[in-house]
Amino acid sequence: VQLQASGGGLVQAGDSLRLTCAASGRSLGAYNLGWFRQAPGKEREFVAAIRRRGGTTYYADSVKGRFTISRDIAKGTGYLQMNSLKPEDTAVYYCATSPQSTITSEMYSARAYDIWGKGTLVTVSS
């Protein structure tokens, strides 16, 4: 399976964006889905994740209450709705999948995700 994140762009602080993660070769439906981001000069960090079974969601504290992760299993796509964007949200955003067996503590860790897509750049101006 190959993943592609899209929907990034240049927005002003306070604006919203919705990122989409699409898969080719196989549906996303069989996996957990995560979003990560990497800002210039910084390490990749966890943003949000959603389990395949049950739809439990996980968020980084920095985005909790502003971002919402979701997925359309029938379409095999995932989404990250980002509201009230801040300049510190500026980064390249990546979607990735992990096996359904991933334990809770590992849902926040990039090492649990074995398929990664090309990222999409989100730039938030002040």
Side-chain angles (χ1 to χ4, degrees), residues 31-32 51 58 97-109 111-114:
Y31 307 93
N32 302 324
R51 282 201 178 275
Y58 308 84
T97 60
S98 71
Q100 293 187 37
S101 58
T102 303
I103 61 175
T104 297
S105 60
E106 288 296 302
M107 289 290 288
Y108 300 86
S109 173
R111 61 174 175 264
Y113 295 79
D114 49 10

Side-chain angles (χ1 to χ4, degrees), residues 10-14 85-88 90 123-126:
L10 173 62
V11 297
Q12 293 187 331
L85 283 162
K86 304 176 180 180
E88 51 263 43
T90 294
T123 304
V124 184
S125 64
S126 58

Side-chain angles (χ1 to χ4, degrees), residues 6-81:
S6 62
L10 173 62
V11 297
Q12 293 187 331
D15 285 350
S16 298
L17 278 176
R18 189 176 81 155
L19 305 184
T20 299
C21 181
S24 61
R26 186 181 298 178
S27 171
L28 282 178
Y31 307 93
N32 302 324
L33 175 68
W35 286 93
F36 291 77
R37 67 186 181 187
Q38 187 165 18
K42 294 187 177 182
E43 294 186 354
R44 189 170 298 189
E45 65 174 358
F46 170 80
V47 175
I50 185 168
R51 282 201 178 275
R52 166 60 179 89
R53 290 182 183 275
T56 302
T57 56
Y58 308 84
Y59 295 96
D61 288 343
S62 59
V63 307
K64 203 171 292 183
R66 299 188 299 122
F67 290 11
T68 302
I69 187 172
S70 63
R71 65 191 307 168
D72 185 327
I73 292 177
K75 292 184 178 179
T77 56
Y79 307 98
L80 184 68
Q81 177 67 42

